[in-house]
Amino acid sequence: MGPLEDVRVLELGQLIAGPFCGQYLADFGADVVKIEPPGRGDPMRQWGSTDHQGNTVWWPVIARNKKSLTLDLRTDEGQDIVRRLAAEVDIVVENFRPGTMERWGLGWEALSAINPRLIMVRITGFGQDGPYASRAGYASVCEAMGGMRYIAGYPDRQPVRMGISIGDTLAGMHGAMGAMMALHERERSGRGQMVDSAIYESVMTVMESLVPEYEVAGRIRGRSGSRLD
């Protein structure tokens, strides 16, 4: 039970960014159906540390409160099932490379034509448009381009990465937040919309005043170890 118990979500993403968005929505009661490829399923089923039985402990975290369904999205049958499900849900979450959903006939234009009230959360490295949109974007790259890697560590050493996939989770959180705003707007307009969440932009969002400091004063904040500079 939760505030989103009447919200239905279809999660098509894999790995972390998209599934974290689904996890966030499911934590607050949304009915989330996760689509996994046949065979081994989502790669997160094999990632990370394992328990005494050899099962990964990360999977029950990111998949909690979700239902699971296996579909081959590269087949006509799998794509047709997704269309039928999309007609009945409130939110679709996906984090494939831009253009992938369109090649499958499952892009925003196609799904919103089936369900005008649909909200589609799309999470990628660099967004749905722009000069880098077609590039695959992982958190390791996007955290650097967003500035986080440059200021992490000590001034006399090379930059380091945070020990978690923070870029992915930030993009997932922003996707979930965008979905909530779109749900609110739908109450007024009656129509859904697409939410475009980019990993590198999500990182830049939490970089505080670093960009204005450079713009106004020419200051480039560097690495300051365990203290704030």
Side-chain angles (χ1 to χ4, degrees):
M1 302 294 288
L4 301 181
E5 64 183 53
D6 60 340
V7 175
R8 294 164 296 179
V9 180
L10 181 63
E11 180 192 300
L12 303 177
Q14 296 187 50
L15 295 172
I16 303 173
F20 185 83
C21 178
Q23 172 194 323
Y24 215 61
L25 298 174
D27 281 348
F28 289 93
D31 182 7
V32 179
V33 175
K34 177 176 179 57
I35 303 300
E36 299 184 67
R40 301 182 68 186
D42 192 305
M44 294 303 295
R45 288 182 179 271
Q46 287 81 43
W47 277 32
S49 302
T50 57
D51 60 18
H52 65 284
Q53 294 180 325
N55 299 315
T56 176
V57 296
W58 198 348
W59 174 250
V61 174
I62 204 164
R64 66 185 181 225
N65 300 320
K66 302 177 185 178
K67 303 170 185 176
S68 188
L69 175 67
T70 58
L71 287 178
D72 187 346
L73 299 183
R74 293 173 175 81
T75 67
D76 292 340
E77 181 182 14
Q79 293 160 9
D80 184 59
I81 293 174
V82 168
R83 293 186 191 98
R84 282 186 278 158
L85 291 172
E88 302 295 332
V89 301
D90 299 289
I91 302 169
V92 168
V93 178
E94 67 96 4
N95 67 323
F96 295 107
R97 193 167 176 166
T100 300
M101 294 286 286
E102 282 71 17
R103 288 198 303 273
W104 293 337
L106 302 174
W108 164 242
E109 297 295 334
L111 296 186
S112 62
I114 298 171
N115 180 0
R117 291 176 57 82
L118 181 69
I119 293 159
M120 189 173 189
V121 178
R122 315 194 74 174
I123 304 174
T124 57
F126 304 105
Q128 295 297 311
D129 52 30
Y132 286 5
S134 62
R135 299 188 182 188
Y138 294 95
S140 57
V141 175
C142 296
E143 288 165 16
M145 293 186 68
M148 185 174 290
R149 296 283 182 98
Y150 185 78
I151 64 169
Y154 290 85
D156 59 340
R157 306 171 202 175
Q158 292 296 314
V160 299
R161 71 165 297 171
M162 189 174 293
I164 56 175
S165 301
I166 187 68
D168 285 322
T169 53
L170 285 172
M173 290 179 68
H174 285 133
M177 186 183 301
M180 294 300 97
M181 295 178 184
L183 279 174
H184 179 69
E185 169 60 23
R186 194 178 72 175
E187 291 298 309
R188 296 185 292 190
S189 68
R191 297 190 62 84
Q193 57 184 291
M194 184 183 72
V195 176
D196 184 0
S197 177
I199 298 175
Y200 96 96
E201 290 179 338
S202 295
V203 171
M204 286 192 69
T205 299
V206 299
M207 294 306 292
E208 300 177 352
S209 62
L210 269 72
V211 173
E213 286 174 12
Y214 176 76
E215 179 71 19
V216 174
R219 182 194 179 201
I220 300 177
R221 195 186 302 185
R223 295 177 289 284
S224 57
S226 58
R227 64 181 177 84
L228 290 176
D229 186 3

